[in-house]
Amino acid sequence: KMLQAIGKGAFSVGYALYKTQLGKSMHDQTCAACANLPPHSSSIMVPLVAGYHVSILPILHDNYAYLIVDETSRTCLAVDPADAKAVARAIESENLTLSGILTTHTHWDHAGGNEELKRMFPNIHVYGSTTDSIPALTDAVADGEMFWFPAHTVVEDPKLIVEVWEAPCHTKGHVLFVINQKPPQTPEGGSEAPRPTPVAVFTGDTLFSGGTGKFFEGSAAEMAKNLERMATLPNDCKVFCGHEYTLNNY
């Protein structure tokens, strides 16, 4: 029990240090080292709905960042762009305009590129929870909030709605971003407007292929609740997770 207590105490100290600027410095070193390595996985484009796709960006040793792309306006949202330079190159290669960042949680390997991207693209919105300390946060979000992508100021008739689901456990302020397709028009005389259809979910470090994220700041009961909620999504809803852990988990 004493060894367990010592081990737990050492982890707590290390975890607290990781969340400081010391951890950010270590993250920046990792980004620089990985710039000289081949990507851990393939970078591909996954269709969402007509006129929209997700570009999968393998970064660092096993992380994924993502671009949600409106092919008409050439506008994109970046999800967990921890390596700012790698994500900026991907944005440039697709000839896109970055409009915002969706941050699932505060860990540097997910949020570590926010401040640099905000300097590169000063007008972008940075979405995340205030429960976590999200770098460069401009738009605090909470469970159930929704917003259009792209904004109506960019296109007249956007087709996607970004919805926020709180998922505390890996961190206290962890969120999921559910991407919904705009519902069809309510028939004249209809009693109830149809709900948007979930077409994708960005799970950060809550759900992986064959596993879940570690319970750094929460409990098994919280994680079970998160999984039960995700289980209500349609079977054809695409899942985009934060790490490539498939071989490790199986």
Side-chain angles (χ1 to χ4, degrees), residues 21-174:
Q21 286 302 309
L22 176 61
K24 176 61 162 62
S25 178
M26 295 170 62
H27 169 74
D28 290 342
Q29 292 175 30
T30 301
C31 290
C34 289
N36 301 314
L37 299 175
H40 61 77
S41 302
S42 300
S43 179
I44 62 172
M45 296 181 184
V46 178
L48 275 188
V49 300
Y52 294 82
H53 71 262
V54 172
S55 293
I56 301 177
L57 310 179
I59 60 171
L60 307 179
H61 292 297
D62 54 32
N63 280 76
Y64 286 116
Y66 300 96
L67 300 178
I68 307 171
V69 178
D70 170 33
E71 297 163 359
T72 302
S73 67
R74 308 306 300 170
T75 303
C76 70
L77 292 170
V79 183
D80 287 353
D83 187 335
K85 292 181 176 61
V87 172
R89 286 194 298 271
I91 291 169
E92 183 179 9
S93 70
E94 288 197 54
N95 192 29
L96 302 174
T97 298
L98 181 64
S99 67
I101 294 173
L102 307 182
T103 310
T104 60
H105 63 292
T106 187
H107 290 163
W108 295 119
D109 63 331
H110 293 261
N114 285 13
E115 291 176 329
E116 187 172 351
L117 285 169
K118 181 66 173 170
R119 288 192 293 270
M120 294 178 184
F121 308 97
N123 295 325
I124 63 173
H125 297 266
V126 179
Y127 300 91
S129 169
T130 55
T131 304
D132 275 6
S133 298
I134 302 299
L137 182 69
T138 63
D139 293 65
V141 293
D143 194 80
E145 291 190 26
M146 296 183 178
F147 54 92
W148 291 99
F149 173 71
H152 283 283
T153 54
V154 177
V155 297
E156 185 176 341
D157 186 26
K159 297 294 191 295
L160 297 184
I161 301 168
V162 181
E163 182 177 3
V164 180
W165 284 11
E166 292 177 352
C169 183
H170 186 70
T171 67
K172 293 184 185 301
H174 197 297

Side-chain angles (χ1 to χ4, degrees), residues 6-20:
I6 292 171
K8 187 175 181 180
F11 169 79
S12 298
V13 171
Y15 184 60
L17 287 173
Y18 169 74
K19 294 173 73 174
T20 68

